Amino acid sequence: MLEKLNKIEKTALESLAAVTDEAALEAWRVANIGRSSPVMNVFSQMSGLSKEERPLVGQRANQVKTALEQAFAARAEVVKNAALSKSLQEERLDVTLPGRPARRGGLHPATVTLRRMLGILAEMGFQVYTSRDVETDEMNFQALNFPPHHPAREMQDSFYIEAGERGDNPLLMRTHTSPGQIRAMREFSGANPENPPSIRIALPGMCYRYEQITARSEVQFYQIEGLAVGENITYGDLKGTLADFARRMFGEHAKVRFRASYFPFTEPSAEMDVECFVCGGKGCAVCKNSGWLEILGSGMVHPNVLQNGGYDPRRYTGFAFGMGPQRMTMLQHRMNDIRYFWGNDIRFLEQF
Amino acid sequence: MKVPVSWLKDYVDIQLPIEELARLLTVSGLEVDEIHYVGWQLPAENKYGFKINGLSWDREKIIVAEIREVRPHPNADRLTLCDLYDGEQTLVVLTGAPNLHPYRGTGPLAKPLKVAYAKEGSTLYDGHAEGLVLATLKRTKIRGVDSFSMVCSEKELGLSLEHEGIILLDEDAPAGMPLADYMGDAVLDVSILPNNARNASILGVAREVAALTGQPLKKQAYELPVSGEAIAGKVAIEINDPQLNPRFTLGLIRDVQIKDSPYWVQRRLRLAGMRPISNIVDATNYTMLEIGEPLHAFDYDILKERAAGKPVRIITRAAGQGEKLTTLDNAVRVLNPSNVMVCDEKGALSMAGVMGGLQSEIHDAASAPEGATRKTTSNILLEGAAWNFINIRKTANAHNLHSEAAYRFSRGVHPALTVDGVRRGLYWMAQWSGGCVAPGLVDEYPLPPIDPLVEISERDVKRALGIDLPAAEIAALLERLEFKCTVNGQTIQVQTPAFRTDIGEGVVGVADLMEEVARLYGLDRIPETRMADPLPPQRGNPSLEREDHVRDILVGLGLQEVITHRMSAPEIENRLLPGGSSETPLEYVKLANPIAPEKRVLRRSVLASVLNVVERNARLSDALEMFEIGPVFIPQGGGLPLEPRRLAIALSGRRYSPAWDSKLGVKLDFYDLKGVIEALMQALHLNVSYAPAEHPSFHPGKCAAVLLGKTALGVFGELHPSVQENYDFSAPLAAADFDLEAVLDAMQTAFDLKSVNEFPPILEDIAVIVDEALPADRVEALIRQTGGKLLGSVRLFDVFRSEQVGAGKKSLAYALVYQSPDGTLTDKEASQVRYRIIQRLDRELGAKLRS
């Protein structure tokens, strides 16, 4: 019997060595350590053995069983690892195949720049004041020191609204966000006419000019203006504030320069240029070789405008500035056609 | 305005290179748009980025020369051979210039003809080419005669496009001198802003240059040679309305010889953008360009004839309604009382300040059409006047007559200039025509303007500009621009010179002067400071912040923002209606001067705008998920329209973008959009409900209203098939239109958080069979209501129809989560909740549990 057990063990271990997959492993288990396996049969044949033989055979049978079970476990581990590495090998992907498209939403690029600029201005203490698109001539022009028929009006060709007979105060699409200056000043001074509070606001909004739609001009465009009014505000403050703004917008080394200009609602008036951020002032196609980019118009608020807003020009001074977020976007991304903005071609929008 | 620098140099010495001059002017408010070189050397590098163009004349090769004899060409009638002296030697030059034909074969010329001569190797514009094409002169043979150089036309030198004949220079041109030295130039194109009207002349720009560079302004001194009878008593002036015509001045010159102006005058006029006509007309234009006062010359004999023996009486008055005048461009102008006319007792002579009349214009019989009988003008009455700029502007615009005179008068010309202008005009006429100027002028000046006297102080400068400047220094700056300053301690009395109309009085005058001080001091020299003024009260803009929040949520949900034109047309918006038209047309805010028919009203629908964008992009992307936030415009009679904001959303195309391993073609539909809207509403903390709705744009069975209580916030659905037909994109298209103002008003910024339930949930699915017509939300509402606080969540996970379920029935399957906020729920408690739910569904909705 002991001989037989030795043989069982030897045969089983030999056949185990040939096992390489899960199925054969299971078959081996059933055949060699299952209920009706040779070693188990030995246990059931124990009753036919002599008293002397029984403990010896029993002990040996247990040894064989344990040995086979351990061998099985070890082999199972080997088989499992082999199977895993095989499947890992087989499951290998072509990682260069494209991913399944995820859909990404996006803000319109005009919104993106508008927000960025308003964000910088907000941190500088200029808070957003919004006002309407359709305006009266009084608000859009007269209160801003453009008298009726004044030549300065030719700088801003307007869309007029059919609104019956309104004499010298027709309705029109605002040509700039400046009527908001008057609305804001009147609102704030109205609440406290004797002692109007100082003002620092940013005025964003859509503006409209009667121009043919071309790569360079549009009938509507965004504008952001800033207005600061107080009892102690100078042209030096205007320069400092705008230079600070330029450094925030274009980088800490941004250089600016001011050129005298004319706007009816400011005096003195100046255009501000920023050193070209594409070429660093060396001259390139974006700055047309000048090294400078025209960025905004600015000036000290005209006394008539302060007066029209309910602020006594003998007591208050202020400055105002205006700029086009779309122009900034165009410069920054070297965009050469302003029609892309309201064209909303998905191939344009998706690039932002 | 085009400013030839050579002309500027008559009035001020310029030591700066041209580009530096242009930069200085630009920085100081006279922006130079372009520099056009005509002969002078172009700069080696363009360091300020000006638009620079034109032609340099080689100083060695292109020179002044004289033609001493013009001989016929032996083999060609059209060509001539010129004996030409170039300052060193005499050569033979071949030319076909027709203006030499009169001299051909007349022997040696008593007065040699001065010409611009280009030697072999010169680079010039090709006179025969279309446009301006550079060419280099090469040696050749024309009809058997050697040709290696030429005498030039204006076109060849880049002076104008004239190529009819060669240039004949003035007699005093020195042969051999480089042409660039004799008449080279550079022309600055300066944009004159409305506050710079005083600078719309050579003198004006020169005054700025003088002030900016510290050079003295060289005022031209001249004697007016007078003779004969004085003008006094020969003409009278009657001004009907001094507000419209504050001053009118007349001078007289007799016995003029009408002919071409000297070449240098013609050249300057051309460079300045005007066409030379004759010495008399040129004198008026030249004077206008030179000092800024537009002049008008009348044929005095015609006026005398009209006066029929009486003294000429010039009357300025408003035109009669329908009064007619033939202007010198031979157009009949129909006038009205808002136009001011210069008349005599017989009627209108000219449109004041805008354009002269044909009848009394300067006439040259030599250049008149054949058959004309009028005599050549020999006596001239010269008008210099001042007009109301607004009135001139209206007239010029109404008649679309934008003459150089109207350009200046419509921006404001100081009345003090009329006398200077008439005198200068008479001077040039006398110089160029040989006429005799009658002594004196006739001058009516009923309304002299006030040239403001403004007091400013060191404190004003400090307050406005932030710099400390002593009064004397401020005065010195202003005096450079001819302000008369009296310094008294820290204050300065500043007298505005009598050529400026842009300086106001009082606080406005102070601001006007601050601008001049800042400009001359140099804007770049004013130090940058940070505001010391106290920070004002801080204000938010909650409405805009909320609007932006909505944008961010939608972008987070994968939608793309679009922004469209706010001008539209009713037929574009009506595409949103079945059949593309409306039985009850909407009122629109209409543009009085639309730029295009499709942009003639202000939109009333943002959705229409978004659908246009979807249509334009339909073939560019497999799916479009877009939104726009913006105002619509609702007319309010003749008043300002309402501008409420709306939100429009559109989804179209494939629900899943196709990938290489999945080709699912499912289209975005109603429920995709509803998912977006539900997510938006959740994010805004708006507890809304959805109800079937009717809207002409949407499929009647696939349209819902979003309700907050009883308020409709918006409507959404799939487009009505008849609406879909109006667009070029494929069905279905799911769209929503929200009243954004209502959404923003309702938006909850304050909300309480529920604590997260940590107790174990019991999960269970139930399916009930209900009538097809029963809205699913009623089942869910009843489940929620019954489950109460022990029901953690309810989610519909299947809607099923089959024979087994029964005709007219549907099965709704819900995943329920039982969970108590107070402790672990037992199976018994859960089954009690379940029992109650099933009972109520059966009792109230007839819903049967599906086994």
Side-chain angles (χ1 to χ4, degrees):
Chain A
M1 207 46 129
L2 288 173
E3 194 57 32
K4 191 178 169 189
L5 276 169
N6 288 342
K7 197 176 169 197
I8 287 170
E9 183 178 22
K10 185 165 177 268
T11 313
L13 288 177
E14 276 169 12
S15 66
L16 185 62
V19 166
T20 55
D21 61 33
E22 296 271 349
L25 191 67
E26 177 61 11
W28 185 92
R29 188 190 64 78
V30 172
N32 294 289
I33 47 177
R35 238 178 290 167
S36 39
S37 59
V39 70
M40 295 309 275
N41 284 341
V42 171
F43 286 108
S44 62
Q45 290 163 15
M46 292 283 279
S47 55
L49 294 178
S50 64
K51 239 184 187 164
E52 295 73 27
E53 270 187 317
R54 215 178 286 165
L56 292 173
V57 171
Q59 191 185 10
R60 178 65 189 143
N62 270 325
Q63 279 173 354
V64 171
K65 183 181 166 228
T66 307
L68 292 184
E69 279 169 354
Q70 284 171 351
F72 172 77
R75 191 68 200 165
E77 186 67 24
V78 170
V79 168
K80 190 177 148 206
N81 285 340
L84 179 62
S85 48
K86 184 164 175 255
S87 69
L88 287 181
Q89 186 59 41
E90 285 168 359
E91 287 163 7
R92 185 171 284 269
L93 297 181
D94 177 358
V95 297
T96 66
L97 281 173
R100 289 184 196 95
R103 292 206 183 139
R104 174 174 72 98
L107 289 170
H108 192 280
T111 306
V112 174
T113 315
L114 195 72
R115 279 192 182 180
R116 170 141 188 263
M117 295 170 75
L118 289 176
I120 293 170
L121 289 171
E123 288 171 11
M124 293 173 69
F126 290 81
Q127 286 150 9
V128 178
Y129 187 94
T130 40
S131 66
R132 54 179 22 268
D133 285 20
V134 182
E135 271 294 1
T136 60
D137 190 274
E138 186 210 346
M139 286 297 194
N140 192 75
F141 285 133
Q142 293 165 41
L144 291 160
N145 203 34
F146 292 75
H149 307 290
H150 192 272
R153 291 185 177 219
E154 280 180 12
M155 297 161 79
Q156 302 189 1
D157 284 335
S158 313
F159 283 107
Y160 287 91
I161 301 295
E162 282 183 15
E165 188 42 59
R166 293 180 51 97
D168 266 344
N169 195 23
L171 301 186
L172 73 167
M173 305 305 293
R174 65 173 166 193
T175 55
H176 45 188
T177 50
S178 318
Q181 294 186 18
I182 299 293
R183 291 190 179 275
M185 283 193 277
R186 287 188 181 171
E187 181 186 328
F188 303 154
S189 66
N192 192 355
E194 292 307 310
N195 226 5
S198 50
I199 301 177
R200 258 169 242 185
I201 52 172
L203 305 113
M206 197 68 86
C207 302
Y208 306 81
R209 302 247 174 114
Y210 189 95
E211 286 183 20
Q212 295 303 324
I213 300 178
T214 68
R216 310 184 134 265
S217 62
E218 254 288 1
V219 291
Q220 72 177 39
F221 57 93
Y222 269 135
Q223 191 178 56
I224 295 180
E225 287 190 33
L227 173 71
V229 176
E231 294 185 58
N232 179 28
I233 289 179
T234 70
Y235 189 82
D237 292 342
L238 175 157
K239 285 188 69 178
T241 304
L242 294 182
D244 276 345
F245 175 80
R247 286 187 280 267
R248 285 292 311 275
M249 191 74 200
F250 303 109
E252 57 179 319
H253 301 299
K255 277 194 214 129
V256 296
R257 72 170 187 194
F258 291 82
R259 283 182 290 117
S261 190
Y262 169 73
F263 308 105
F265 41 103
T266 53
E267 186 156 66
S269 302
E271 304 261 7
M272 186 178 89
D273 300 336
V274 63
E275 195 173 69
C276 180
F277 43 74
V278 175
C279 63
K282 289 189 198 75
C284 68
V286 174
C287 61
K288 300 192 189 95
N289 267 326
S290 68
W292 295 90
L293 297 169
E294 207 175 303
I295 290 299
L296 56 78
S298 65
M300 299 299 289
V301 182
H302 195 282
N304 287 346
V305 175
L306 288 171
Q307 190 79 57
N308 291 334
Y311 284 73
D312 181 352
R314 282 161 302 188
R315 179 173 161 198
Y316 293 91
T317 53
F319 65 79
F321 53 96
M323 55 201 161
Q326 287 163 265
R327 177 167 161 73
M328 305 269 185
T329 309
M330 292 180 75
L331 290 173
Q332 282 179 318
H333 301 289
R334 303 197 207 183
M335 194 177 142
N336 52 19
D337 194 333
I338 197 171
R339 289 171 295 196
Y340 282 177
F341 284 102
W342 315 143
N344 294 294
D345 189 303
I346 196 77
R347 295 165 296 182
F348 163 69
L349 298 174
E350 279 175 351
Q351 291 182 51
F352 288 87
Chain B
M1 193 182 65
K2 293 189 162 64
V3 180
V5 174
S6 71
W7 198 349
L8 210 49
K9 286 182 169 177
D10 286 358
Y11 280 92
V12 60
D13 284 334
I14 295 169
Q15 267 116 31
L16 299 170
I18 305 294
E19 289 68 38
E20 294 287 350
L21 174 69
R23 193 196 66 87
L24 189 63
L25 287 170
T26 298
V27 168
S28 316
L30 280 168
E31 189 174 357
V32 175
D33 294 331
E34 185 183 323
I35 307 174
H36 182 66
Y37 279 81
V38 189
W40 284 347
Q41 189 61 46
L42 269 85
E45 61 159 348
N46 182 5
K47 61 177 171 174
Y48 299 117
F50 285 110
K51 204 160 113 196
I52 294 180
N53 52 40
L55 181 68
S56 303
W57 302 333
D58 188 320
R59 293 182 71 257
E60 299 293 320
K61 296 197 173 84
I62 302 174
I63 59 172
V64 178
E66 55 185 55
I67 294 175
R68 293 179 166 174
E69 184 171 354
V70 182
R71 291 182 287 117
H73 187 285
N75 307 320
D77 287 349
R78 292 203 173 170
L79 299 178
T80 53
L81 298 176
C82 304
D83 292 337
L84 177 138
Y85 174 67
D86 69 359
E88 288 173 2
Q89 52 176 327
T90 306
L91 318 126
V92 176
V93 178
L94 188 79
T95 173
N99 57 339
L100 288 186
H101 288 182
Y103 304 97
R104 184 164 53 180
T106 59
L109 299 170
K111 278 189 203 163
L113 299 169
K114 298 295 174 66
V115 294
Y117 172 60
K119 299 181 184 172
E120 184 178 358
S122 305
T123 299
L124 299 161
Y125 291 121
D126 182 345
H128 300 285
E130 267 306 299
L132 295 176
V133 180
L134 283 176
T136 302
L137 268 186
K138 291 196 185 86
R139 185 173 287 266
T140 176
K141 239 186 175 71
I142 299 177
R143 299 255 176 155
V145 176
D146 264 347
S147 173
F148 48 86
S149 61
M150 67 184 202
V151 283
C152 305
S153 68
E154 294 215 326
K155 180 172 177 184
E156 282 154 348
L157 291 170
L159 282 156
S160 73
L161 293 176
E162 191 62 53
H163 188 58
E164 267 301 290
I166 58 162
I167 303 171
L168 295 178
L169 301 172
D170 296 324
E171 287 169 17
D172 57 359
M177 183 186 247
L179 191 69
D181 294 354
Y182 177 64
M183 61 172 210
D185 222 324
V187 182
L188 306 180
D189 195 348
V190 177
S191 78
I192 301 287
L193 295 169
N195 66 333
N196 259 324
R198 67 181 184 283
N199 293 332
S201 66
I202 301 296
L203 174 62
V205 175
R207 186 182 285 117
E208 289 288 323
V209 172
L212 293 167
T213 60
Q215 292 290 323
L217 185 66
K218 296 191 286 186
K219 293 235 169 134
Q220 301 287 306
Y222 62 93
E223 282 288 315
L224 199 54
V226 293
S227 59
E229 278 185 82
I231 185 176
K234 306 229 172 284
V235 292
I237 298 165
E238 178 186 325
I239 293 172
N240 278 4
D241 184 348
Q243 291 292 341
L244 296 176
N245 179 199
R247 189 175 196 181
F248 199 100
T249 305
L250 286 168
L252 181 64
I253 181 168
R254 300 186 181 93
D255 302 327
V256 302
Q257 284 279 313
I258 295 195
K259 55 184 178 183
D260 285 345
S261 301
Y263 182 72
W264 66 269
V265 174
Q266 296 186 38
R267 187 183 67 86
R268 281 187 169 176
L269 288 174
R270 283 215 177 89
L271 293 184
M274 293 195 83
R275 197 164 55 90
I277 310 282
S278 68
N279 50 1
I280 300 303
V281 178
D282 291 355
T284 61
N285 288 333
Y286 188 93
T287 304
M288 170 179 69
L289 295 173
E290 186 182 31
I291 68 170
E293 169 70 19
L295 299 173
H296 184 67
F298 293 102
D299 186 325
Y300 181 50
D301 294 319
I302 297 282
L303 300 189
K304 276 205 300 197
E305 198 179 303
R306 285 166 63 102
K310 289 195 282 178
V312 172
R313 187 172 185 78
I314 298 290
I315 303 155
T316 69
R317 59 162 170 84
Q321 185 68 43
E323 189 172 355
K324 286 182 184 152
L325 175 73
T326 305
T327 42
L328 50 79
D329 56 354
N330 217 351
V332 179
R333 308 282 169 180
V334 182
L335 306 154
N336 65 57
S338 67
N339 308 138
V340 178
M341 309 301 296
V342 178
C343 313
D344 61 8
E345 283 176 301
K346 242 182 136 188
L349 296 170
S350 75
M351 288 171 72
V354 176
M355 193 173 268
L358 186 65
Q359 201 197 354
S360 56
E361 76 161 331
I362 302 307
H363 183 76
D364 179 7
S367 60
E370 223 163 297
T373 55
R374 207 181 132 189
K375 260 176 55 197
T376 294
T377 303
S378 64
N379 301 308
I380 288 159
L381 198 58
L382 184 61
E383 165 200 324
W387 309 103
N388 176 291
F389 74 96
I390 286 174
N391 179 270
I392 298 293
R393 168 168 229 85
K394 283 188 187 167
T395 299
N397 285 338
H399 293 274
N400 201 21
L401 269 176
H402 298 284
S403 61
E404 291 278 344
Y407 172 86
R408 287 170 177 77
F409 278 132
S410 65
R411 282 164 176 75
V413 176
H414 197 289
L417 287 181
T418 66
V419 169
D420 292 349
V422 171
R423 284 174 51 83
R424 190 67 170 163
L426 292 172
Y427 171 76
W428 289 125
M429 285 180 187
Q431 291 286 308
W432 304 336
S433 77
C436 306
V437 177
L441 300 173
V442 173
D443 183 25
E444 278 298 310
Y445 199 178
L447 189 63
I450 294 161
D451 293 319
L453 179 68
V454 183
E455 184 179 284
I456 60 170
S457 64
E458 290 176 1
R459 192 185 153 271
D460 289 329
V461 172
K462 176 77 177 162
R463 177 172 177 264
L465 307 180
I467 50 174
D468 291 300
L469 274 187
E473 210 171 307
I474 298 166
L477 289 174
L478 291 172
E479 278 165 353
R480 287 206 230 157
L481 286 170
E482 298 184 38
F483 288 95
K484 296 241 169 358
C485 298
T486 312
V487 178
N488 187 1
Q490 296 183 350
T491 64
I492 309 143
Q493 302 287 328
V494 183
Q495 174 60 52
T496 307
F499 54 81
R500 290 188 73 136
T501 56
D502 63 319
I503 303 295
E505 295 179 272
V507 285
V508 173
V510 173
D512 291 333
L513 292 177
M514 289 308 119
E515 176 159 78
E516 297 307 87
V517 171
R519 243 162 34 87
L520 292 178
Y521 179 78
L523 294 177
D524 281 344
R525 288 175 63 202
I526 297 174
E528 289 174 10
T529 51
R530 291 203 171 80
M531 285 185 274
D533 206 55
L535 200 63
Q538 298 292 287
R539 297 181 174 87
N541 190 326
S543 172
L544 185 65
E545 285 158 19
R546 288 175 176 213
E547 179 188 315
D548 265 338
H549 187 45
V550 171
R551 272 196 188 89
D552 289 335
I553 294 164
L554 290 170
V555 168
L557 291 167
L559 275 67
Q560 171 67 48
E561 186 192 18
V562 300
I563 302 177
T564 60
H565 281 114
R566 294 176 185 176
M567 293 171 189
S568 185
E571 63 274 14
I572 293 175
E573 303 213 323
N574 282 344
R575 295 209 294 166
L576 277 176
L577 301 172
S581 66
S582 168
E583 282 171 21
T584 50
L586 276 180
E587 285 290 319
Y588 280 95
V589 177
K590 297 191 192 77
L591 294 162
N593 55 336
I595 198 132
E598 71 275 12
K599 292 194 166 52
R600 68 179 190 276
V601 302
L602 299 185
R603 71 176 174 193
R604 292 206 55 171
S605 168
V606 177
L607 181 56
S609 302
V610 175
L611 291 196
N612 289 339
V613 175
V614 170
E615 187 176 45
R616 279 204 294 280
N617 283 296
R619 285 182 182 78
L620 298 173
S621 182
D622 56 90
L624 295 166
E625 298 175 277
M626 299 177 147
F627 73 96
E628 178 170 6
I629 286 176
V632 296
F633 302 85
I634 300 168
Q636 303 291 303
L640 286 166
L642 299 178
E643 301 180 4
R645 284 167 292 178
R646 296 197 77 85
L647 159 66
I649 305 175
L651 306 185
S652 147
R654 302 170 72 140
R655 183 176 301 157
Y656 308 105
S657 298
W660 46 270
D661 70 336
S662 62
K663 311 269 185 288
L664 288 172
V666 194
K667 299 279 188 112
L668 289 159
D669 68 11
F670 179 92
Y671 293 112
D672 293 290
L673 178 57
K674 189 172 178 192
V676 168
I677 291 169
E678 284 169 341
L680 173 66
M681 293 298 140
Q682 249 172 38
L684 299 177
H685 302 278
L686 289 175
N687 192 12
V688 295
S689 60
Y690 301 86
E694 279 188 30
H695 185 287
S697 299
F698 297 115
H699 187 301
K702 301 178 179 179
C703 175
V706 182
L707 300 169
L708 184 71
K710 287 189 175 143
T711 312
L713 298 181
V715 62
F716 67 98
E718 287 181 23
L719 277 198
H720 195 293
S722 312
V723 171
Q724 181 91 35
E725 280 176 12
N726 300 334
Y727 290 94
D728 185 16
F729 45 63
S730 64
L733 180 130
D737 187 6
F738 279 91
D739 174 352
L740 190 68
E741 302 293 346
V743 173
L744 299 184
D745 283 347
M747 218 173 115
Q748 298 298 309
T749 47
F751 52 89
D752 291 335
L753 288 178
K754 292 191 191 88
S755 50
V756 176
N757 193 333
E758 304 283 4
F759 296 109
I762 294 172
L763 312 179
E764 187 190 41
D765 295 346
I766 61 167
V768 290
I769 296 170
V770 296
D771 284 346
E772 182 67 67
L774 185 72
D777 71 338
R778 290 192 51 201
V779 178
E780 185 175 322
L782 195 64
I783 294 173
R784 283 186 189 282
Q785 191 192 21
T786 312
K789 66 171 188 174
L790 295 183
L791 189 64
S793 74
V794 184
R795 180 174 62 86
L796 179 71
F797 70 89
D798 190 32
V799 179
F800 179 69
R801 297 173 182 86
S802 72
E803 261 178 57
Q804 199 195 352
V805 168
K809 301 279 185 188
K810 62 189 173 191
S811 159
L812 302 175
Y814 292 90
L816 307 184
V817 177
Y818 305 114
Q819 196 173 24
S820 166
D822 306 320
T824 303
L825 208 60
T826 62
D827 286 347
K828 194 175 163 204
E829 286 167 318
S831 67
Q832 280 169 354
V833 177
R834 177 176 190 273
Y835 178 75
R836 282 203 302 275
I837 288 172
I838 290 166
Q839 288 295 305
R840 266 192 94 187
L841 287 175
D842 186 6
R843 193 168 64 242
E844 296 184 23
L845 300 175
K848 302 294 178 206
L849 191 66
R850 194 171 158 223
S851 45

